[in-house]
Amino acid sequence: MEIVEAVVIAGAGIAGLATALALKGVGVLALVLERSYGLRATGAALTLFPNAWLALDALYVSHKPTSKTNPMMGSVTNVRTGLIQDISLSGTEWLNAVPRSVHRKVLLETLANELPKDTIRFSSKLATIESQAQEAGSPIAIIHLEDKTVIKAKVLIGCDEVHAVVAHWLGIAPAVHSGRSAVRGFSVFPQGHGMQEVQQFVDLGKRVG
């Protein structure tokens, strides 16, 4: 089967869905390819800072995740010196201009629900990509999926991962380890946890909380 699309986005994660929604806002419809059979909604909570909320506001969806979040307040303790600094991250100038935690699933579903039906094509794993020259204009991308589907796209946007097929096709160098690592978890409290404060403990090169 062969499909012709103007714009194809590889990856239905936060970046891919946000890109598709931004293009929709200017009248450009894109096909989003996702290798999984559904939205990969697993994962921990994300702390979104003001710049992220401004981006969601530009997509006209910032008010939806905030209905399930609260502004963050708490303290930071320096374990080396014992000093404690209170932090208040509840702004008043603009409702969303404060850091808030959002579950990844809520954010993904919020973005996906704003897209037209059939925008996301699930179970679509990229196999190879090649460029095809045109008599007039720029080359187009020929995308081969593992199910033998061939998609011709004027524009291909990679929003999957640095080790993915799109990155390899573009010749992007492998990611370099920055020397930093993080461990995160997510807990579910069906009846609510009642905790209103965030506590962080910092030391030289370390942060917990």
Side-chain angles (χ1 to χ4, degrees):
M1 180 173 64
E2 184 174 289
I3 302 173
V4 178
E5 295 284 344
V7 180
V8 171
I9 299 172
I14 295 173
L17 296 181
T19 300
L21 189 53
L23 290 172
K24 174 196 169 189
V26 294
V28 178
L29 297 181
L31 174 66
V32 181
L33 302 178
E34 171 55 46
R35 63 183 180 182
S36 300
Y37 60 86
L39 288 178
R40 290 179 288 170
T42 57
L46 304 173
T47 299
L48 301 183
F49 281 77
N51 58 336
W53 289 111
L54 288 170
L56 292 176
D57 187 58
L59 298 175
Y60 302 102
V61 296
S62 62
H63 62 288
K64 297 188 176 182
T66 53
S67 64
K68 301 181 181 180
T69 64
N70 292 311
M72 296 166 53
M73 299 180 64
S75 62
V76 178
T77 301
N78 187 316
V79 297
R80 186 179 297 270
T81 64
L83 293 176
I84 300 176
Q85 178 182 0
D86 292 329
I87 54 175
S88 176
L89 302 176
S90 55
T92 56
E93 294 184 3
W94 183 54
L95 174 64
N96 295 330
V98 295
R100 293 170 180 259
S101 294
V102 179
H103 194 298
R104 186 173 184 273
K105 177 181 179 181
V106 172
L107 183 54
L108 279 176
E109 291 177 345
T110 296
L111 295 171
N113 290 338
E114 295 297 316
L115 294 171
K117 184 181 179 181
D118 298 327
T119 294
I120 308 172
R121 190 180 192 273
F122 294 107
S123 300
S124 300
K125 188 173 182 180
L126 278 66
T128 60
I129 305 171
E130 57 183 310
S131 297
Q132 185 180 85
Q134 302 294 296
E135 293 183 0
S138 303
I140 63 173
I142 309 297
I143 307 163
H144 298 268
L145 304 183
E146 288 194 349
D147 65 1
K148 307 305 181 183
T149 299
V150 177
I151 302 175
K152 294 183 177 181
K154 293 182 179 179
V155 177
L156 173 60
I157 303 173
C159 293
D160 35 10
E161 56 185 48
V162 293
H163 300 295
V165 179
V166 176
H168 179 72
W169 174 60
L170 292 173
I172 297 176
V176 178
H177 181 46
S178 66
R180 297 183 178 183
S181 59
V183 178
R184 296 181 179 180
F186 182 78
S187 299
V188 177
F189 298 86
Q191 306 303 321
H193 52 66
M195 294 180 288
Q196 300 296 325
E197 294 188 355
V198 174
Q199 292 186 342
Q200 291 191 349
F201 301 88
V202 298
D203 196 356
L204 185 63
K206 301 180 179 67
R207 183 176 66 178
V208 179

